[in-house]
Amino acid sequence: EGKTLDEYREGIGGNDTTDRQLNYAGFGIEPINEVLERAKSFLEEAKEKYAGETRVLVVAHGALLRALHFEIVGYTDETDFHEMHFGNAEMREYEI
């Protein structure tokens, strides 16, 4: 987004952008609940489109990968979305 980390933190006013109850949408950020809904929709579409396939490769940015992870394993209002990290070019395998 062309901002330093300090500029980003200042722009979001210290808000936790992954707090589902706050659902922060400032600074041009997609609210976490919308990211989770997008991940859920993608998974539903992928299950239908690739029914019968044994493997499907998904490549995405970290926020969407994190949302996909939690849509698969589950989450609650207390889930800390920061606890999940993907390294660059890291691969994970899920059975759905």
Side-chain angles (χ1 to χ4, degrees), residues 64-85:
L64 184 59
L65 290 174
R66 187 178 295 129
L68 288 169
H69 167 83
F70 284 110
E71 282 296 329
I72 293 167
V73 303
Y75 58 88
T76 68
D77 285 343
E78 288 77 38
T79 297
D80 180 1
F81 289 90
H82 294 291
E83 74 183 27
M84 165 48 99
H85 296 280

Side-chain angles (χ1 to χ4, degrees), residues 16-24 32-33 77 79 81-82:
D16 180 355
T17 59
T18 62
D19 182 325
R20 287 186 57 243
Q21 294 179 2
L22 177 62
N23 205 35
Y24 182 75
I32 187 64
N33 289 331
D77 285 343
T79 297
F81 289 90
H82 294 291

Side-chain angles (χ1 to χ4, degrees), residues 26-93:
F27 205 56
I29 295 170
E30 180 180 18
I32 187 64
N33 289 331
E34 288 182 19
V35 178
L36 290 165
E37 185 58 38
R38 190 161 47 99
K40 181 179 179 179
S41 294
F42 170 79
L43 286 173
E44 290 170 357
E45 182 180 319
K47 285 178 189 178
E48 185 177 310
K49 185 174 183 178
Y50 299 107
E53 296 292 329
T54 57
R55 290 198 171 105
V56 176
L57 176 66
V58 176
V59 179
H61 62 83
L64 184 59
L65 290 174
R66 187 178 295 129
L68 288 169
H69 167 83
F70 284 110
E71 282 296 329
I72 293 167
V73 303
Y75 58 88
T76 68
D77 285 343
E78 288 77 38
T79 297
D80 180 1
F81 289 90
H82 294 291
E83 74 183 27
M84 165 48 99
H85 296 280
F86 286 90
N88 287 337
E90 179 178 344
M91 292 182 67
R92 302 263 176 120
E93 185 172 346

